[in-house]
Amino acid sequence: QRLALEAEAELENAGAGVDPSAGGATSSSASAAASSSSKTVLHKVAELLSAVVLKLPPALLLQRMKDFESSEVFMRLALAAIHSSAQLKLQVAVNYLDNDAIGAVVSAMQLLLQSYEAPTAEAGDEMRRTFALLKSEALPAEGWPYLTYGLEVCLHILSHWTATKLSLDKDDTLDARAAPLLMAKGGLVDILA
């Protein structure tokens, strides 16, 4: 995020024609070169992190989501990775009981929604500006697409649970491991209400 802030500052200076290394003197070519290199590094970092997150085994990815539950950057990368890979989305949904996918996804969605609340809105604006610098369809600037990705995972989990329940028994009662109950206990209803 610090790299993104530096790239953003360099973009602003380039737009104003100010070269910070020359004590404020005008040098649009120097600022443009610095801005270009910072943006290039930012893009490469985003590509690398996205590729690494996408290659993590599902259980390890969800564990890392829990480990870094206060990192909006990681939550965005993780939800984008799950969204972009049908296989990963299926593996997360099928093993939801063993890997606590519901807890990890609900926690990520809760963090993303907090960035729109008044006390943290300024920090959320910084995050959106950072991701806007990437100009990437895979990593949108706004938090709403990531919330949609989280909801998609929840729907996949419910679909898997429903199909499994229908194939195993005809009993209409929900046990304590039922996906709808785990989602409600995990706070999904609370954050969406």
Side-chain angles (χ1 to χ4, degrees):
Q1 191 168 0
R2 183 177 55 216
L3 178 64
L5 292 174
E6 289 173 10
E8 185 178 356
E10 289 173 1
L11 281 175
E12 289 172 5
N13 289 337
V18 175
D19 183 1
S21 64
T26 301
S27 175
S28 60
S29 62
S31 293
S35 171
S36 175
S37 62
S38 294
K39 281 183 68 173
T40 300
V41 171
L42 181 63
H43 281 277
K44 293 293 182 187
V45 167
E47 287 175 22
L48 176 65
L49 289 174
S50 295
V52 168
V53 168
L54 187 60
K55 296 297 181 188
L56 290 175
L60 183 57
L61 173 60
L62 292 165
Q63 181 59 49
R64 293 296 178 252
M65 288 176 74
K66 290 180 218 162
D67 294 344
F68 301 109
E69 67 182 6
S70 63
S71 171
E72 186 175 341
V73 171
F74 190 78
M75 293 303 148
R76 285 174 175 241
L77 290 169
L79 289 172
I82 294 169
H83 172 73
S84 69
S85 171
Q87 180 181 2
L88 183 56
K89 195 182 309 181
L90 179 65
Q91 290 172 331
V92 166
V94 167
N95 296 316
Y96 76 93
L97 285 172
D98 297 330
N99 58 24
D100 190 26
I102 293 171
V105 171
V106 169
S107 178
M109 292 170 55
Q110 191 168 28
L111 179 68
L112 289 163
L113 283 172
Q114 286 173 354
S115 72
Y116 288 99
E117 293 176 359
T120 58
E122 191 173 304
D125 289 342
E126 266 186 41
M127 185 65 62
R128 288 186 282 282
R129 283 194 306 268
T130 299
F131 275 81
L133 287 172
L134 293 173
K135 296 181 179 157
S136 169
E137 288 183 26
L139 297 170
E142 288 295 321
W144 301 115
Y146 302 98
L147 287 165
T148 303
Y149 304 161
L151 290 171
E152 285 176 2
V153 173
C154 291
L155 287 172
H156 268 52
I157 291 170
L158 285 174
S159 296
H160 171 72
W161 172 80
T162 302
T164 303
K165 182 164 177 46
L166 289 174
S167 69
L168 293 179
D169 62 29
K170 301 297 180 200
D171 186 11
D172 284 342
T173 60
L174 297 179
D175 66 359
R177 298 168 45 115
L181 290 178
L182 292 175
M183 286 182 189
K185 287 179 186 175
L188 182 64
V189 176
D190 297 333
I191 66 168
L192 296 176

